[in-house]
Amino acid sequence: MMIVASLIGSIANGQTLYVDATNSNDKANGSREAPFASLEKAITHASRFSGDKAITIKVAPGLYSLKSKLLITFSKSHQSSVPVTIEAMLLPDDTAWTPQKMPIIQSISDNNNDPNKKFPHCVGLLIAANNVTIKGLKFLGNANPAVQYYYPIKKEDTTYSGLKIEQCYFVGDKNGTPIQGAVWVHGPETSVKHCIFYGCKNALLLFRGIKGFSFTNSIVYGAYEAAVWFGPFDAPFIFRDNIISGCNFFWLRAEDTYPAYIFSNSYIGGNKNYMGVYRKAGEAIVSPDSNIIEKGINKSGSIILNEVALEGIKKGYLHLSPKSEGYNIPAGIF
């Protein structure tokens, strides 16, 4: 017993936990040598950490099925400014990385939202903490037939800030495993970079308290409602080095808001509509806005993606082909 207690204490001091869905179980202690099997167990364990040391959860390759909403929150004794990172054991820039080594997160949950909310929906990760980074993970849609609206990552409380989403895939299939909105967040200081959104109904949904937002080096393809829904915001945001194509709308703004936008060094072409308005009545309409500054925006030509073919998934899948328009833009997970 003393040995086990000592080992758990050393893990807590380091505040790094390990998860491996394929080669472990939740009776383990979360160390590198004895990882937990589920993200739920790792988050539950990490939520008890206190003090001012960073928390890191390392996720091994494998399939992680979420049977309910995964709440990312921490004890009151944990310093709110301390960074929390949930990341793949092997990141896309590691030399040993292959697509097969990317952890896959897939919700199989029924609707799990607050029943007092306006509509039933399902959430994968619910962020309720400051300075959370999610890195190197692949999110698939929810095939549960009871779920119409699935959101892999959601941050609802505007008091939390500092959410970073990096080097992640979000892959939906509207006919089988749909994603209503890949990232649905409220509040300040959200950063999304080097991500790929493929076949999601919407990629980014940003509404209340938006400030200090950054969207860079990413690809959105085939958003059959909109790439971005954007609410009122208090300060300039950063949009650069992105590829947006094959979407119904590129950008939707809230009705009765007239913000100024700056879009830089990106390809935004091959979409049915450019700018639009989402109305309080619940519909989206085309709205050509004049408060737009475009710096180095290419709308000509067409996008060619490296989609999966007979030979299977290759390292650069869903990135731009060398023959594609916009290939010179540094967008993708690497």
Side-chain angles (χ1 to χ4, degrees):
M1 283 294 292
M2 290 181 64
I3 295 174
V4 172
S6 175
L7 180 56
I8 293 175
S10 68
I11 295 168
N13 288 333
Q15 301 200 137
T16 296
L17 297 172
Y18 295 84
V19 188
D20 188 335
T22 304
N23 300 304
S24 193
N25 62 75
D26 277 345
K27 294 182 179 180
N29 60 34
S31 65
R32 183 188 291 271
E33 296 76 18
F36 295 128
S38 70
L39 286 170
E40 291 90 339
K41 181 68 174 181
I43 292 297
T44 298
H45 194 95
S47 67
R48 299 194 292 265
F49 285 154
S50 61
D52 59 358
K53 291 185 178 180
I55 296 172
T56 302
I57 296 174
K58 296 276 191 177
V59 187
L63 174 62
Y64 296 83
S65 298
L66 303 180
K67 297 179 180 179
S68 185
K69 175 172 55 187
L70 183 56
L71 178 63
I72 312 299
T73 190
F74 298 91
S75 68
K76 291 183 179 179
S77 58
H78 174 252
Q79 298 291 333
S80 62
S81 61
V82 171
V84 177
T85 302
I86 303 170
E87 68 177 14
M89 195 89 71
L90 279 174
L91 292 170
D93 291 328
D94 294 334
T95 55
W97 183 90
T98 67
Q100 292 76 15
K101 293 179 181 177
M102 196 172 207
I104 295 175
I105 314 298
Q106 183 170 36
S107 174
I108 58 174
S109 171
D110 202 339
N111 293 312
N112 56 32
N113 63 297
D114 184 336
N116 294 321
K117 299 301 179 184
K118 293 181 179 180
F119 68 99
H121 60 272
C122 177
V123 176
L125 276 58
L126 181 60
I127 310 300
N130 290 313
N131 301 317
V132 175
T133 296
I134 299 168
K135 191 170 185 179
L137 307 181
K138 180 178 178 180
F139 293 86
L140 301 183
N142 186 329
N144 190 321
V147 173
Q148 183 176 356
Y149 304 105
Y150 172 55
Y151 306 92
I153 298 176
K154 181 181 181 183
K155 182 169 74 69
E156 189 168 76
D157 194 327
T158 59
T159 61
Y160 297 117
S161 66
L163 174 61
K164 297 179 180 179
I165 303 169
E166 303 176 359
Q167 296 186 292
C168 291
Y169 278 98
F170 297 84
V171 180
D173 176 0
K174 62 184 177 182
N175 297 304
T177 54
I179 292 177
Q180 176 72 15
V183 177
W184 180 12
V185 299
H186 305 288
E189 306 301 329
T190 295
S191 169
V192 179
K193 68 178 181 179
H194 287 292
C195 290
I196 295 178
F197 303 84
Y198 181 87
C200 304
K201 188 172 184 179
N202 302 280
L204 303 179
L205 306 172
L206 307 119
F207 297 116
R208 294 182 285 109
I210 302 301
K211 181 169 60 176
F213 170 64
S214 174
F215 185 38
T216 63
N217 305 100
S218 295
I219 298 172
V220 180
Y221 188 85
Y224 49 102
E225 189 161 40
V228 181
W229 291 57
F230 208 76
F233 64 100
D234 298 331
F237 63 90
I238 297 172
F239 180 102
R240 59 170 171 77
D241 298 322
N242 296 312
I243 304 292
I244 314 290
S245 189
C247 304
N248 183 28
F249 280 95
F250 157 50
W251 197 278
L252 289 172
R253 64 171 172 83
E255 187 176 16
D256 298 327
T257 65
Y258 304 94
Y261 298 119
I262 301 176
F263 303 130
S264 302
N265 194 46
S266 298
Y267 175 91
I268 308 173
N271 303 296
K272 183 177 180 181
N273 302 291
Y274 190 59
M275 303 293 293
V277 173
Y278 60 91
R279 304 178 70 177
K280 297 173 184 176
E283 61 179 341
I285 62 171
V286 176
S287 175
D289 287 271
S290 58
N291 289 343
I292 299 174
I293 298 174
E294 297 177 341
K295 300 180 178 180
I297 299 299
N298 182 4
K299 299 179 183 178
S300 64
S302 59
I303 292 299
I304 303 172
L305 292 182
N306 295 322
E307 297 185 275
V308 178
L310 290 176
E311 64 272 20
I313 296 179
K314 291 186 175 181
K315 190 167 185 176
Y317 83 110
L318 299 186
H319 288 75
L320 297 190
S321 162
K323 300 178 181 179
S324 176
E325 196 74 32
Y327 182 71
N328 60 314
I329 295 171
I333 65 165
F334 303 111

